[in-house]
Amino acid sequence: MLNFNQYVVLSRQCGKTIAAVARYLWVYQFGTSNSEIMFMHKDHGGSKGNLKSLRAMRDALPSYLQFSSTVNAEGKKLKVPNTVVMMQHPYNNNKINTYPSARTKDSANNLGRGCTIPVQYYDEFAFMPYNEIVFMAAVPAFSRASENAKKNGAPYGMLITTTPGDLLTDSGQYAYTIRNKATPWREEYYDLSYPELLGLRDSNRESNFFLVEYSYKQLGKGADYFKNISIDMQSNWPAIRREILLEWAEQALDCPFTQEELDIIKNYNKEPIRTVLFGKFKQYQFNIYEDIDLSYPPIIGVDVSGATFRDSSAITVIDSKTTKVCATLNCNYIPADDLADVIYELITKYMPNAICSVEKNGVELLELKEVA
């Protein structure tokens, strides 16, 4: 509702497209006037299917809220443009247009340049042919349209919804790049004010997208759901991992590890037991995996990247008694001065007896405020 750009990843059949279409139905019916909404998909059939779903939702509203037709001064019912590829509101003149996917690089570039539209929806973005060319060409056009919408108090924003793509494809790799740059959304952020959310978004110098990603468990689905859908998908584990477990395929042509080795490593993955947020806007997530006995000095290792070349800065906390990794922070957009602030707060507030080792790798890390 605040017009932030969003990158939404949910398991299949958990409502991501339906929720998006419901939002756009409100925008189309009541949220603005003389505006346009863009539906794009990995193929034209998909975007037309989303428009069909929106039309069905509208027709399910009470008749006095549908506004599906109008009448002239003589009381005669007038037709408005309404086809399988577009629809136009008879009263507020809003339009929803569906767009086909690009078949060539030139058509992708032309498609993106024509997107001077303030409300843009990209569904199944990780599977959209030439998605990088389309997106990069569309951004300047969208920027101009969204500025005008913002001045008029009208809705605007980009929404990307997708399931994880194949990293062996260009479209999958580009979708994964946008995902990794976006600011991860946390439920604690619902309590922030609009200026605080702006600060949170703007603190990420790599992206203005929020990454909204929930597992099937977080969406209220349990073991029975996973069992039944695995049977329905005929135990096709690559597909299950992608569509249900939201895993991006790690295997690449130049990967030194086999898929079996990667699967073994994945078995050791753990979910954090809690998260502590650092930074002025609480934008840096420090994940805690085990409680640590602070009577023994914890060891803090810091890998500094300076938020350059898409590399991540990382903090790893090790229990010096058990040598287990107990907590981590990993962020690919944290600048060096913010990293110094995080280390300072971590040690002075939570681990005053810690041993801190900062990697010297050519990145100029600012003074750690007497922590070194």
Side-chain angles (χ1 to χ4, degrees), residues 205-221:
R205 302 172 189 178
E206 293 289 322
S207 173
N208 58 16
F209 275 84
F210 282 109
L211 171 63
V212 183
E213 185 169 303
Y214 291 108
S215 69
Y216 72 87
K217 294 179 181 178
Q218 291 173 297
L219 297 174
K221 306 288 188 179

Side-chain angles (χ1 to χ4, degrees), residues 302-307 311-315 329-335 339:
V302 183
D303 181 9
V304 185
S305 78
D311 193 13
S312 293
S313 290
I315 298 174
L329 181 147
N330 184 293
C331 185
N332 62 357
Y333 58 83
I334 182 171
L339 181 62

Side-chain angles (χ1 to χ4, degrees), residues 189 192 200 277-285 345:
Y189 295 158
L192 300 182
L200 172 64
L277 301 178
F278 287 88
K280 180 180 179 181
F281 302 103
K282 306 300 181 184
Q283 68 269 40
Y284 307 125
Q285 301 179 19
E345 184 178 355

